[in-house]
């Protein structure tokens, strides 16, 4: 795997909406927030899984198309309909989601897209932790990607289908958390 000089777009904190990790009123969403119905965010989750599946297939053109659909879904979120805690986290994560999805959509090279997919997966994980997800979602990790630093992704399947290496190393990775 080539080393890329580009980095996934990092999340920025907003003074009124918590720190980068989404700490709101002293609570971390991944640890202490009650699960909520996915509602407004379900189309975003659905499009994310479509981007992931395209990268599993190493289909850069399809990943680009699906990332454009993800951008559309992000733009259609009605923030006023989000639960207050979800709204706060959304405000922190929205920029990273949009910028990484846009970078994926701007390319048709799966290796370049994968760099930004890793930046897309972390804020998606934080949002998915707030939502009731049916069926169960699996938070998975490839330990080899990014020069051995590893990278995570979300999957609706418990079996490993690695979006970072596709058919080169389809089953490289493990499930690190089950979200339901």
């Amino acid at each position: 795997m080539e080393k890329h000089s580009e980095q996934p777009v990092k999340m920025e904190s907003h003074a009124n909406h918590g720190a980068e990790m989404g700490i709101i009123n002293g609570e971390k969403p991944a640890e202490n927030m009650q699960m909520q119905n996915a509602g407004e965010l379900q189309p975003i989750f659905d499009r994310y899984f479509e981007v992931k599946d395209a990268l599993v297939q190493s289909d850069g053109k399809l990943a680009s198309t699906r990332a454009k659909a993800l951008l559309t879904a992000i733009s259609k979120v009605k923030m006023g309909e989000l639960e207050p805690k979800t709204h706060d986290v959304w405000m922190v994560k929205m920029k990273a989601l949009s910028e990484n999805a846009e970078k994926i959509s701007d390319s048709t090279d799966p290796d370049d897209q994968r760099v930004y997919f890793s930046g897309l997966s972390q804020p998606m994980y934080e949002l998915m932790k707030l939502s009731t997800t049916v069926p169960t979602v699996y938070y998975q990790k490839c330990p080899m990607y990014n020069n051995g630093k590893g990278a995570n992704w979300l999957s609706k399947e418990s079996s490993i289908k690695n979006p970072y290496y596709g058919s080169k190393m389809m089953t490289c990775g493990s499930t690190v958390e089950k979200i339901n």
Side-chain angles (χ1 to χ4, degrees):
M1 175 99 195
E2 287 182 36
K3 184 178 178 183
H4 292 277
S5 61
E6 301 225 24
Q7 297 294 314
V9 179
K10 301 287 183 187
M11 294 173 278
E12 293 181 11
S13 63
H14 296 273
N16 296 330
H17 292 101
E20 179 176 316
M21 294 307 294
I23 298 171
I24 311 296
N25 297 325
E27 297 182 30
K28 292 183 182 178
E31 297 173 2
N32 299 324
M33 288 189 178
Q34 191 172 17
M35 299 292 250
Q36 302 168 9
N37 185 308
E40 273 300 301
L41 301 180
Q42 190 61 53
I44 293 169
F45 299 154
D46 293 342
R47 301 302 78 79
Y48 169 87
F49 289 122
E50 291 173 356
V51 172
K52 188 262 308 173
D53 291 342
L55 291 173
V56 166
Q57 298 169 23
S58 297
D59 187 336
K61 185 175 181 185
L62 183 58
S64 174
T65 299
R66 290 181 171 174
K68 288 175 185 157
L70 175 57
L71 280 167
T72 299
I74 291 168
S75 72
K76 290 184 177 183
V77 169
K78 296 175 186 161
M79 291 184 278
E81 294 185 20
L82 297 174
E83 294 292 323
K85 290 180 181 179
T86 302
H87 177 270
D88 289 343
V89 174
W90 172 255
M91 293 302 296
V92 174
K93 309 299 179 184
M94 178 179 55
K95 184 176 181 181
L97 289 170
S98 297
E99 289 178 355
N100 283 294
E102 184 174 1
K103 295 283 189 180
I104 294 168
S105 74
D106 287 344
S107 175
T108 56
D109 181 337
D111 289 333
D112 290 338
Q113 292 169 326
R114 288 172 172 134
V115 172
Y116 298 105
F117 184 72
S118 68
L120 182 67
S121 293
Q122 183 59 38
M124 193 67 67
Y125 165 78
E126 295 293 329
L127 286 167
M128 208 166 282
K129 290 285 292 184
L130 297 173
S131 301
T132 302
T133 54
V134 180
T136 299
V137 173
Y138 301 89
Y139 191 51
Q140 300 175 328
K141 181 173 185 162
C142 172
M144 296 178 63
Y145 187 72
N146 193 17
N147 296 318
K149 294 178 186 170
N152 296 76
W153 73 93
L154 295 150
S155 179
K156 292 191 276 185
E157 305 169 332
S158 61
S159 61
I160 302 296
K161 293 185 180 174
N162 189 322
Y164 296 107
Y165 288 111
S167 63
K168 292 178 186 174
M169 289 191 279
M170 182 65 71
T171 60
C172 176
S174 62
T175 297
V176 295
E177 187 178 347
K178 186 174 155 182
I179 305 169
N180 52 349

